[in-house]
Amino acid sequence: MVSSITPTSGITGGSASEANGLGKGIDSSFALNLIPLPTTPLFGTDGIRGRVGEFLSAPLALQIGFWAGIVLRSHASQVGPVILGQDSRNSSDMLAMSLSAGLTAAGLEVWYLGLCPTPCVAYLTSIYDAVGGVMISASHNPPEDNGIKIFGANGAKLSHVLQAEIEARLRGNISPSASFSNYGRHYSRVELVSHYGEALQKPLNGAGNLQGMKIVLDLAWGAAVGIAPTVFTEMGAEVICLHNEADGDRINVNCGSTHLDILQAAVIEHNADLGFAFDGDADRVLAVDNSGRQVNGDYILYLWGSHLQQQQQLPDNLIVSTVMANLGFEKAWKQQGGNLIRTAVGDQYIQAEMLRTGGMLGGEQSGHILCLHYGITGDGLLTAIHVAALVKKVGVSLAELVDQSFQTYPQLLRNVPVVDPDRRLGWKDCQPIQKAIALAEAAMGDSGRILVRASGTEPVIRVMVESANADLANHWTHELVSQVQQHLME
């Protein structure tokens, strides 16, 4: 049965029977007047994210699912399923079921994966003729937060245009008619997660490729606890796991890619070849070399890029990174004939620039790495197995490879809490802060950089100062943080 829906321009209206999907079909208002929405944009740099209970709720997730389903279906060349996955947070089950209710209300079939990494959703979306994918996760955020990441039919992060359309429909600002089946179906498809694991190994010839390596994995109590140990073990590595149970109370707490100290100690204790720390949804990773040093995304990009460059698999010797990329990395890469393009922070901006320029490798210092030879989105597990395979292939320790690469400029990053969203998003209008930035830039000249920005995922202003002179970096970081505290935290 196919019925017609004509969304209203307001947020009220419709009978009780219509609101329940009975009689004349599903009422487009869907009780929107019961859900308060913030005046600030819902979509940040990585989907919709916030504190569960204060912002994210089951009714809101149902609305997002419904309107995302309408938008995804209206832009699809053919009607396929929606791939739905989640991380281990205590609120993820509730949000997943609410999203599924909204998606099925929009007439779509939902394939539910359960616990899995974000890139697993993206990959399966791209190979199963799906209209899109949805991942419930707040990535590296604390356990009380959660988020909703939406992917298009090609597995890439949803475009800004479609994000804006979903948000406009949520707010009742768009009211075109849409026809859809009166209901969809929800299927558990947890077996598909293993297909993603097989796809990760295939380019590296699978079993035995990491034979003889000892690798420590910090799984952050999150989405990769099931699949990451399996993949590394199947590839022949001896695997030592930390924080390797799905635990919604402890996801990202003093572990994973934002807290490397336990992993660093474990690599040294076990005399391991290297270690990897994932975030809560495993779309990013940081490494630790055999001496216990952190190896961030800049080093991963340089080493992987150098390998691809030697194999003549890096068009224009191009790496796409962000404004956060270290100057030491940029200068070293250019000295060996490489090109570097910087984007705004966020892997969606990196991905868009890679598609625009034909770049095949890009990523962030924080560990979001995209290599289009092997994947379509940032993938921590894919990155980790390729870095491990590279170390095995060249026969040189990761510590030696890092020593031979480049020296970073001193770079200080401070997160300054600014709860008021208007002050946070409007920080550029604060003249004392702008004056302090100008003074800092003049003082450092070509030997340093200043970056101040509002986070797209947390209620903070990020202040980054980079300089060849560590004392200058310290001085101007303190000065800029003081200005933000003084003028934005009142």
Side-chain angles (χ1 to χ4, degrees):
M1 175 181 178
V2 176
S3 35
S4 177
I5 177 170
T6 305
T8 59
S9 59
I11 58 175
T12 60
S15 68
S17 64
E18 290 172 330
N20 289 316
L22 303 175
K24 295 182 180 180
I26 301 170
D27 184 348
S28 61
S29 67
F30 241 44
L32 282 173
N33 57 315
L34 301 179
I35 304 174
L37 297 177
T39 57
T40 53
L42 297 180
F43 284 90
T45 56
D46 200 12
I48 299 172
R49 190 178 299 187
R51 188 65 54 91
V52 178
E54 297 177 11
F55 168 60
L56 278 179
S57 64
L60 178 58
L62 185 143
Q63 291 284 342
I64 293 170
F66 178 73
W67 290 116
I70 293 296
V71 170
L72 289 171
R73 181 166 181 173
S74 68
H75 289 272
S77 58
Q78 58 184 8
V79 179
V82 173
I83 308 296
L84 175 63
Q86 67 174 75
D87 71 12
S88 61
R89 294 165 202 273
N90 294 335
S91 59
S92 290
D93 286 350
M94 173 267 289
L95 293 175
M97 295 306 100
S98 299
L99 281 160
S100 183
L103 291 163
T104 54
L108 290 170
E109 189 172 288
V110 175
W111 291 5
Y112 176 59
L113 306 177
L115 185 71
C116 68
T118 289
C120 176
V121 172
Y123 169 73
L124 294 174
T125 297
S126 72
I127 67 168
Y128 279 112
D129 296 324
V131 298
V134 181
M135 178 69 182
I136 298 97
S137 177
S139 192
H140 63 280
N141 281 34
E144 57 269 22
D145 290 350
N146 216 326
I148 298 170
K149 304 181 182 185
I150 305 176
F151 298 87
N154 62 353
K157 295 284 180 70
L158 200 65
S159 70
H160 289 295
V161 172
L162 295 191
Q163 287 181 4
E165 184 176 343
I166 292 171
E167 181 159 347
R169 289 175 181 270
L170 278 165
R171 297 183 184 278
N173 297 331
I174 297 180
S175 55
S177 62
S179 296
F180 59 95
S181 172
N182 210 5
Y183 57 87
R185 297 290 300 276
H186 175 104
Y187 297 96
S188 177
R189 298 299 306 273
V190 296
E191 78 281 359
L192 297 180
V193 176
S194 64
H195 297 182
Y196 162 69
E198 294 165 1
L200 288 174
Q201 300 178 54
K202 189 174 181 180
L204 295 171
N205 300 317
N209 195 269
L210 302 180
Q211 193 73 39
M213 298 192 77
K214 184 185 293 186
I215 299 173
V216 184
L217 303 178
D218 183 343
L219 303 167
W221 310 114
V225 296
I227 190 168
T230 298
V231 168
F232 275 92
T233 300
E234 288 177 350
M235 294 187 68
E238 178 185 346
V239 179
I240 299 158
C241 292
L242 308 173
H243 315 116
N244 57 325
E245 296 177 4
D247 190 329
D249 289 319
R250 293 189 286 179
I251 184 171
N252 296 321
V253 177
N254 298 321
C255 62
S257 61
T258 55
H259 297 85
L260 293 180
D261 51 327
I262 297 177
L263 176 62
Q264 290 171 308
V267 168
I268 294 173
E269 176 188 352
H270 294 282
N271 194 28
D273 293 286
L274 67 170
F276 295 106
F278 302 92
D279 63 344
D281 68 335
D283 65 348
R284 73 182 193 181
V285 67
L286 293 180
V288 169
D289 69 23
N290 50 298
S291 69
R293 291 181 304 180
Q294 174 181 326
V295 180
N296 66 23
D298 287 347
Y299 282 104
I300 291 172
L301 286 171
Y302 182 90
L303 296 175
W304 201 354
S306 298
H307 176 70
L308 292 173
Q309 186 182 47
Q310 292 166 8
Q311 303 297 314
Q312 298 185 334
Q313 294 181 4
L314 198 65
D316 298 323
N317 294 327
L318 173 64
I319 291 177
V320 178
S321 191
T322 74
V323 290
M324 293 297 295
N326 193 274
L327 270 176
F329 162 43
E330 179 179 10
K331 291 187 175 183
W333 182 243
K334 288 182 175 180
Q335 284 174 359
Q336 67 177 46
N339 298 309
L340 183 74
I341 294 178
R342 294 178 183 266
T343 72
V345 173
D347 60 338
Q348 61 179 311
Y349 301 110
I350 295 169
Q351 187 175 53
E353 186 66 16
M354 290 171 70
L355 294 175
R356 186 188 73 82
T357 60
M360 297 300 290
L361 181 67
E364 299 184 274
Q365 189 182 83
S366 60
H368 280 114
I369 308 295
L370 298 88
C371 185
L372 299 187
H373 291 295
Y374 308 110
I376 54 175
T377 190
D379 191 331
L381 189 49
L382 183 151
T383 299
I385 62 175
H386 278 268
V387 170
L390 172 60
V391 172
K392 174 73 181 298
K393 182 176 181 178
V394 299
V396 175
S397 72
L398 183 56
E400 292 176 89
L401 290 175
V402 169
D403 288 340
Q404 296 166 9
S405 58
F406 63 90
Q407 290 292 320
T408 59
Y409 278 34
Q411 187 182 80
L412 300 179
L413 176 64
R414 298 290 182 267
N415 295 323
V416 187
V418 179
V419 177
D420 187 314
D422 293 327
R423 287 177 178 266
R424 185 170 69 250
L425 297 176
W427 72 268
K428 291 182 180 179
D429 297 326
C430 180
Q431 290 306 308
I433 294 176
Q434 293 295 342
K435 181 178 179 180
I437 291 173
L439 288 172
E441 290 176 337
M444 292 189 296
D446 294 336
S447 64
R449 292 192 306 132
I450 302 291
L451 178 63
V452 179
R453 66 183 182 88
S455 170
T457 59
E458 299 175 82
V460 299
I461 293 290
R462 303 199 196 278
V463 175
M464 189 276 286
V465 180
E466 184 177 71
S467 174
N469 185 309
D471 290 336
L472 276 179
N474 275 303
H475 170 78
W476 288 111
T477 299
H478 179 269
E479 177 64 24
L480 291 170
V481 167
S482 296
Q483 291 295 327
V484 172
Q485 291 173 331
Q486 179 180 346
H487 296 286
L488 298 184
M489 295 176 62
E490 297 175 353

